[in-house]
Amino acid sequence: MAVPVALIQGASRGLGLAFCKHILKSRTSAAVIATCRSPDGAADLRVLAGQHAGRLTVLKLDVDREEDVREAAARVKESFGRLDLIVNSSAMLHPSGKGETSLRDVSAQGIISTLKTNTVGPLVMAKYFSPILQKGGGGFGQQPAEKSKQHSGVIVNITAKVGSIGDNGLGGWYSYRMSKAALNMATRNLSIELGRSRPKVVCVSLHPGTVNTDLSRQYHKNVPKDKLFDAEQSVSYLMSIIDTLNIEKTGKAYSWDGTELPW
């Protein structure tokens, strides 16, 4: 069987870095491609690459720049020829670092910037990388015996519970909520189109829980300790879900505990 290949978009810190560490440790034969905006400034990622020479490849990719995504896809195709998993993990809460608490805080530029990174970026990733995922060998997820239901690759978009329209009872955080709700729609659309392809690609949105990272740390004071995860713990939960994915689970959003999230 071919070596599984995973690409983690937004791998310099937080969940992305934790995904790299987890896969390198738990899948001793897997190759990992880690992308970030500025590899030269990603000290932790450079250390990890040194520890796993030959297994971890670091690529420069700014998800806000379509030309970066296109060039990275060409390099991956040339060097690896295939992919089994993509995790889109980079995100911003808002350019200011704070979620809007009311309509007074909303600005057009803030919404546009947040949507560009959180929604447009993962969709453009799918545009350029899905043909390479279709050449994968199904190295992640479960493959049913029935050949027509087997998949080649998996796209995971990291969403957030606050992006659920049905679950929204508090309001606020316009840009972030809208960007994640739109990302969920992109995931659903992708699951339909890539579920018709031969071979098929599984597409899901995953909610990591409340994670102790820079993105939302200032809002954690009221979060119960047992519901505040470090990045490694969250990724462990998410990888357990990824390992159970198949084409029948495509096009849905799942929380860290495996429960399905309402759109």
Side-chain angles (χ1 to χ4, degrees):
M1 184 176 177
V3 172
V5 184
L7 185 148
I8 312 301
Q9 183 265 113
S12 62
R13 58 181 180 173
L15 285 174
L17 184 63
F19 266 109
C20 292
K21 291 179 178 178
H22 184 99
I23 295 171
L24 288 167
K25 182 178 180 180
S26 64
R27 301 287 185 98
T28 55
S29 64
V32 177
I33 304 162
T35 78
C36 62
R37 284 186 169 95
S38 178
D40 291 342
D44 292 339
L45 190 56
R46 291 204 312 272
V47 169
L48 190 65
Q51 294 169 344
H52 297 275
R55 293 185 60 206
L56 178 60
T57 301
V58 180
L59 291 182
K60 183 182 184 302
L61 189 160
D62 182 343
V63 76
D64 290 347
R65 294 169 51 87
E66 185 168 354
E67 57 268 34
D68 274 19
V69 179
R70 182 172 57 245
E71 290 171 8
R75 290 185 62 182
V76 170
K77 181 180 180 181
E78 180 181 358
S79 299
F80 294 88
R82 55 191 286 279
L83 274 176
D84 297 277
L85 171 68
I86 284 182
V87 178
N88 287 303
S89 67
S90 68
M92 68 161 70
L93 181 61
H94 186 270
S96 69
K98 297 180 180 180
E100 307 100 326
T101 57
S102 75
L103 197 55
R104 293 188 304 272
D105 303 321
V106 170
S107 70
Q109 191 54 54
I111 293 173
I112 291 168
S113 296
T114 308
L115 283 167
K116 190 174 183 181
T117 297
N118 295 0
T119 310
V120 178
L123 185 58
V124 173
M125 288 287 294
K127 173 183 177 180
Y128 289 101
F129 282 97
S130 58
I132 314 174
L133 282 164
Q134 288 171 335
K135 297 182 182 299
F140 292 86
Q142 289 183 336
Q143 292 288 14
E146 190 176 341
K147 193 169 184 180
S148 65
K149 294 184 178 180
Q150 292 180 355
H151 65 270
S152 57
V154 175
I155 294 175
V156 171
N157 291 324
I158 300 299
T159 188
K161 191 175 181 181
V162 296
S164 167
I165 295 173
D167 187 70
N168 183 5
L170 295 175
W173 285 25
Y174 283 89
S175 298
Y176 191 67
R177 286 185 186 274
M178 289 168 62
S179 72
K180 291 301 187 179
L183 178 64
N184 290 342
M185 178 59 83
T187 300
R188 182 69 171 177
N189 256 27
L190 288 168
S191 74
I192 294 169
E193 180 170 351
L194 298 179
R196 297 189 189 116
S197 65
R198 293 288 187 273
K200 304 175 187 296
V201 175
V202 173
C203 307
V204 296
S205 291
L206 296 184
H207 165 53
T210 303
V211 186
N212 190 21
T213 62
D214 292 340
L215 185 143
S216 59
R217 184 169 288 127
Q218 61 183 308
Y219 299 100
H220 293 167
K221 62 181 180 180
N222 294 322
V223 178
K225 287 186 177 181
D226 64 336
K227 292 295 172 62
L228 180 61
F229 306 143
D230 59 36
E232 290 74 17
Q233 183 181 11
S234 175
V235 165
S236 178
Y237 291 138
L238 297 182
M239 284 302 304
S240 294
I241 297 172
I242 291 169
D243 287 338
T244 67
L245 292 176
N246 56 48
I247 199 63
E248 294 179 345
K249 294 183 178 181
T250 195
K252 297 177 181 179
Y254 299 96
S255 189
W256 61 271
D257 60 359
T259 58
E260 189 173 340
L261 279 175
W263 294 123

